[in-house]
Amino acid sequence: MEKFIEISILYDFYGELLSEKQKLIVDYYYNNNFSLGEIAEKVSISRQGVYDSLKRSEELLHEYDSKLKLMDKYQINQELISNALDKLSNHIKNQGMDTDREILLDVENDLKKTLKQL
Amino acid sequence: MEKFIEISILYDFYGELLSEKQKLIVDYYYNNNFSLGEIAEKVSISRQGVYDSLKRSEELLHEYDSKLKLMDKYQINQELISNALDKLSNHIKNQGMDTDREILLDVENDLKKTLKQL
């Protein structure tokens, strides 16, 4: 995954665990694409200070994810539910032509799997 | 919620964010029902030390939950998916008698809601 996107996503999951100042700097850099110099001016610390804060925040976000694995869980659940939803939507569209219960049983199964590992 | 159950659940969500020693003590106390004295002997610290560690861990677990709100999210998702699953299972059981698409559309809707706030 591209680093900018990766940190943005990690920030969505774990940003609340950073300090207010760390959050602000990550948000400026990764979500608003400000340069280190621009951020330095905005938060009144040195450019090096901004850089160090970003490195530390990135480390922390990765550390939280290695412990809680919310990104993995999200992706697995997202895939299982999307999958169930697709089958269900197709079944609804094609109802009348294909009324066997196989698709519905399959969707039921996907949902059960999802529930188990929410 | 009863405190023992509450801390056990919080520990399932955020236990990995505690130190190894904190985890061990919470696990002994909340999951295995050891007394403070028994734990003190097992981990070779004072009874007061065990008590302080437990209080600190409880604070930390509550703090993490107030920031990440994983318990709330879990409960909402759990309810939405169980709900969808119930309707689907009932529909599968009653298929043939009731083939209108209303229930399926309802389930589709529940799943869409779940996806949005995973």
Side-chain angles (χ1 to χ4, degrees):
Chain A
M1 205 187 299
E2 210 238 304
K3 193 190 162 192
F4 253 74
I5 297 174
E6 188 189 16
I7 300 291
S8 269
I9 295 176
L10 287 172
Y11 180 71
D12 277 349
F13 282 109
Y14 307 106
E16 286 307 312
L17 299 178
L18 301 177
S19 74
E20 287 309 311
K21 193 149 201 171
Q22 285 171 330
K23 277 200 274 186
L24 195 64
I25 291 174
V26 169
D27 192 47
Y28 278 146
Y29 192 73
Y30 284 101
N31 296 334
N32 296 293
N33 298 310
F34 285 123
S35 71
L36 295 183
E38 285 169 329
I39 300 170
E41 232 170 86
K42 279 177 180 293
V43 298
S44 312
I45 58 172
S46 68
R47 203 178 162 289
Q48 181 66 38
V50 173
Y51 179 82
D52 292 343
S53 171
L54 278 174
K55 288 301 126 192
R56 179 72 190 125
S57 295
E58 290 163 15
E59 271 170 31
L60 282 170
L61 293 173
H62 279 296
E63 205 178 304
Y64 290 132
D65 196 51
S66 75
K67 290 175 175 170
L68 297 187
K69 300 185 177 25
L70 299 183
M71 261 176 77
D72 282 356
K73 282 184 199 160
Y74 173 81
Q75 267 165 1
I76 293 171
N77 287 332
Q78 227 266 358
E79 211 175 294
L80 280 166
I81 298 180
S82 296
N83 200 13
L85 192 53
D86 281 352
K87 289 181 210 161
L88 192 60
S89 297
N90 274 329
H91 181 77
I92 293 171
K93 249 190 270 159
N94 299 327
Q95 218 185 14
M97 292 188 278
D98 168 15
T99 47
D100 71 351
R101 43 178 66 191
E102 225 167 273
I103 295 167
L104 288 176
L105 288 169
D106 201 15
V107 174
E108 191 183 31
N109 206 30
D110 283 352
L111 284 172
K112 280 181 185 163
K113 265 192 260 170
T114 310
L115 254 188
K116 258 191 211 152
Q117 55 114 49
L118 263 184
Chain B
M1 204 186 302
E2 209 238 305
K3 194 191 161 191
F4 253 74
I5 298 173
E6 189 190 14
I7 300 291
S8 269
I9 296 176
L10 287 173
Y11 180 70
D12 277 349
F13 282 108
Y14 307 106
E16 288 306 313
L17 298 179
L18 301 177
S19 74
E20 288 308 311
K21 193 149 202 172
Q22 285 172 330
K23 278 199 276 186
L24 195 65
I25 292 174
V26 169
D27 193 47
Y28 278 146
Y29 192 73
Y30 285 101
N31 296 333
N32 297 294
N33 298 309
F34 286 122
S35 71
L36 294 183
E38 287 169 326
I39 300 171
E41 233 171 85
K42 280 178 179 293
V43 299
S44 312
I45 59 173
S46 68
R47 201 179 164 290
Q48 181 65 39
V50 173
Y51 179 82
D52 292 342
S53 172
L54 278 174
K55 287 300 125 196
R56 179 72 190 125
S57 295
E58 290 164 14
E59 271 170 31
L60 281 170
L61 293 173
H62 279 296
E63 205 178 304
Y64 291 132
D65 196 52
S66 75
K67 288 175 176 171
L68 297 186
K69 301 184 176 27
L70 298 182
M71 261 175 77
D72 282 356
K73 283 184 198 161
Y74 173 80
Q75 267 165 1
I76 293 172
N77 287 332
Q78 227 265 358
E79 212 176 292
L80 279 166
I81 298 181
S82 296
N83 201 13
L85 192 54
D86 281 352
K87 288 180 211 161
L88 193 60
S89 298
N90 275 330
H91 181 78
I92 292 171
K93 249 190 270 158
N94 300 327
Q95 219 186 12
M97 291 189 277
D98 168 15
T99 47
D100 71 350
R101 44 178 64 190
E102 226 167 272
I103 296 167
L104 288 176
L105 287 169
D106 201 15
V107 174
E108 191 183 32
N109 204 30
D110 282 353
L111 283 172
K112 281 181 186 164
K113 264 191 259 170
T114 311
L115 255 188
K116 259 192 211 151
Q117 55 115 49
L118 265 183

